[in-house]
């Protein structure tokens, strides 16, 4: 049993999940969805949110079957000790890949837009160190910092959207469904991969003190995340039209349209602030889950000794899985999205199915026992 007995509320968990999904999606998803769905790119996040709903259902369902257990702790109860350890190790294999990619995305974005003369390892290393310190303070501190930063992110995002309204051309949404629903479904693969990150709920539910309003909080979080993703897609579409997929970070380009009376310019700095706030929470959450999962898998009583070594490992993975910016872009392609869905949705779904079957057979065996 881990010594970190910190507790967060259901609302704090929602605040943790929101930037974990939207921090990287808000900049990358418009370009990806435009490539597949064209002018119907705004429909793709709606379809992708179904995967988020399924992931939330799996997380809460597993918690109800094995209350007080994380996904790592529940796996041996579901599959048996050794198979459960192997399944748990798959997640331990995947988390440094995912966290390393997020760290590299952050580094590439900051060096290409704000600090071109700063070495990449300095940009990424400083963020990882700050996040690791945040994680060592425990889940309560991570939850509280997320509340502060998410509030700032929402205010800044809404402010940018309001300032862009005068530049929008809603006619870009036409023709509507020109090629049917299939292109939108193809474009939904990328948002679905991001929405599957709601599986972090299955790792954090044991830390929630009041679980009565948990489902409602998660559904509200899903709704807000979907709206934010749709809004970023629509704003990019209305501003850039068919050119949206020409840019790696179209929402960043969109903010450059903002000019008010020659004194309110260069609002892209606000997007950088949104990115930094969101990425700080996202990396902190992934590092916390990675560290606690490793500690649980190894049977340790305290996760804090492994935080900095695992943080360094994720930083190494940021260089190992991605060699340059073009490689980072390729890791956001269809194959990478399916890879993410396999670990964050399909494997948990199989665990849940096995758990339900075990519970069903146990119920039948009890019912068939002679009285």
């Amino acid at each position: 049993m881990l010594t970190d007995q910190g507790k967060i509320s259901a609302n704090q968990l929602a605040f943790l999940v929101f930037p974990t999904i939207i921090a990287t999606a808000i900049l990358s998803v418009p370009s990806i969805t435009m490539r597949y769905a064209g002018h119907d790119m705004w429909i793709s996040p709606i379809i992708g949110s179904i995967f988020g709903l399924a992931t939330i259902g799996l997380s809460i369902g597993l918690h109800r079957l094995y209350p007080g257990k994380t996904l790592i702790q529940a796996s041996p109860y579901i599959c048996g000790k050794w198979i459960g350890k192997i399944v748990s190790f798959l997640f331990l294999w995947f988390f440094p890949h995912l966290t390393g990619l997020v760290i590299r995305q952050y580094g590439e974005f900051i060096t290409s837009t704000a600090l071109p003369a700063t070495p990449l390892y300095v940009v990424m290393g400083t963020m990882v160190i700050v996040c690791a310190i945040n994680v060592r303070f425990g889940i309560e501190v991570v939850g509280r910092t997320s509340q502060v930063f998410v509030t700032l992110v929402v205010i800044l995002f809404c402010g940018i959207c309001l300032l862009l309204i005068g530049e929008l051309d809603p006619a870009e949404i036409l023709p509507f469904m020109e090629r049917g629903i299939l292109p939108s479904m193809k474009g939904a693969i990328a948002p679905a991969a991001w929405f599957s990150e709601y599986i972090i709920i299955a790792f954090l539910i044991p830390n929630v003190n009041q679980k009565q309003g948990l489902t409602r909080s998660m559904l509200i979080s899903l709704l807000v995340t979907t709206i934010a993703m749709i809004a970023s897609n629509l704003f990019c579409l209305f501003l850039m039209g068919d050119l949206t997929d020409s840019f790696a970070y179209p929402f960043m380009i969109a903010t450059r349209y903002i000019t008010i009376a020659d004194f309110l310019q260069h609002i892209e700095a606000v997007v950088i602030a949104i990115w930094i706030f969101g990425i700080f929470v996202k990396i902190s959450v992934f590092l916390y889950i990675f560290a606690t999962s490793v500690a649980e898998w190894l049977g340790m009583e305290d996760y804090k000794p492994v935080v900095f070594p695992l943080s360094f490992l994720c930083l190494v993975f940021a260089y190992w899985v991605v060699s340059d910016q073009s490689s980072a872009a390729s890791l956001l392609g269809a194959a990478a999205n399916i890879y993410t869905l396999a670990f964050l949705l399909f494997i948990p779904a199989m665990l849940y199915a096995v758990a339900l079957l075990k519970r069903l057979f146990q119920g039948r065996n009890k019912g068939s026992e002679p009285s």
Side-chain angles (χ1 to χ4, degrees), residues 16-350:
L16 281 172
V17 174
F18 175 75
T20 302
I21 311 300
I22 207 66
T24 47
I26 194 174
L27 293 182
S28 302
V29 163
S31 176
I32 299 172
T33 52
M34 181 67 186
R35 191 176 308 136
Y36 294 99
H39 290 250
D40 295 322
M41 58 187 287
W42 61 276
I43 302 176
S44 295
I46 300 175
I47 300 173
S49 66
I50 298 173
F51 289 80
L53 184 63
T55 307
I56 292 173
L58 288 172
S59 301
I60 295 176
L62 284 168
H63 168 72
R64 288 176 177 171
L65 291 174
Y66 300 94
K69 304 290 184 185
T70 66
L71 196 58
I72 300 297
Q73 293 170 332
S75 295
Y77 289 92
I78 297 172
C79 305
K81 181 179 179 180
W82 296 111
I83 297 179
K85 283 284 188 179
I86 294 172
V87 172
S88 299
F89 183 78
L90 293 177
F91 290 104
L92 302 186
W93 163 261
F94 177 73
F95 272 120
H97 282 85
L98 183 60
T99 309
L101 177 59
V102 173
I103 293 170
R104 187 57 181 260
Q105 282 182 279
Y106 163 77
E108 294 286 355
F109 176 75
I110 294 298
T111 53
S112 64
T113 58
L115 302 172
T118 306
L120 185 63
Y121 67 86
V122 173
V123 175
M124 297 192 303
T126 51
M127 174 59 81
V128 170
I129 291 172
V130 174
C131 291
I133 294 172
N134 189 39
V135 168
R136 278 184 60 89
F137 281 121
I139 190 62
E140 287 188 11
V141 174
V142 176
R144 289 169 184 168
T145 54
S146 70
Q147 281 184 295
V148 175
F149 287 144
V150 169
T151 302
L152 292 173
V153 166
V154 171
I155 292 173
L156 293 174
F157 180 76
C158 293
I160 288 175
C161 291
L162 288 174
L163 293 172
L164 281 172
I165 288 178
E167 305 290 336
L168 302 182
D169 181 14
E172 290 288 350
I173 203 172
L174 301 174
F176 175 67
M177 299 284 283
E178 181 182 22
R179 293 178 292 162
I181 193 65
L182 186 59
S184 298
M185 294 178 67
K186 290 181 179 178
I189 296 176
W194 264 280
F195 278 116
S196 68
E197 291 177 0
Y198 268 97
I199 198 62
I200 66 173
I201 299 169
F203 294 88
L204 297 176
I205 282 183
N207 296 106
V208 178
N209 51 13
Q210 297 291 333
K211 299 180 176 63
Q212 288 81 2
L214 179 63
T215 302
R216 180 179 58 85
S217 296
M218 292 303 100
L219 292 178
I220 291 174
S221 171
L222 177 64
L223 178 62
V224 174
T225 303
T226 305
I227 291 173
M229 210 176 288
I230 294 171
S232 63
N233 276 18
L234 283 175
F235 274 80
C236 292
L237 175 64
F238 291 167
L239 284 167
M240 291 171 280
D242 294 328
L243 296 176
T244 300
D245 65 341
S246 302
F247 305 101
Y249 308 113
F251 192 76
M252 179 75 174
I253 303 298
T255 57
R256 294 176 181 170
Y257 283 76
I258 299 175
T259 302
I260 298 179
D262 293 330
F263 73 90
L264 185 61
Q265 298 178 347
H266 302 293
I267 305 297
E268 58 266 26
V270 178
V271 177
I272 296 174
I274 292 175
W275 178 267
I276 292 175
F277 292 152
I279 285 293
F280 172 77
V281 176
K282 183 163 189 167
I283 295 176
S284 295
V285 171
F286 282 164
L287 281 179
Y288 179 82
I289 293 174
F290 187 29
T292 53
S293 297
V294 168
E296 290 167 359
W297 194 79
L298 295 175
M300 299 173 61
E301 294 184 354
D302 190 2
Y303 74 95
K304 293 179 182 179
V306 301
V307 171
F308 280 106
L310 294 179
S311 300
F312 178 75
L313 177 64
C314 291
L315 190 59
V316 171
F317 267 70
Y319 282 96
W320 183 50
V321 300
V322 181
S323 58
D324 50 34
Q325 191 168 7
S326 61
S327 299
S330 67
L331 282 177
L332 298 176
N337 292 325
I338 294 173
Y339 177 65
T340 301
L341 286 168
F343 278 92
L344 300 185
L345 181 60
F346 298 144
I347 292 179
M350 291 173 62

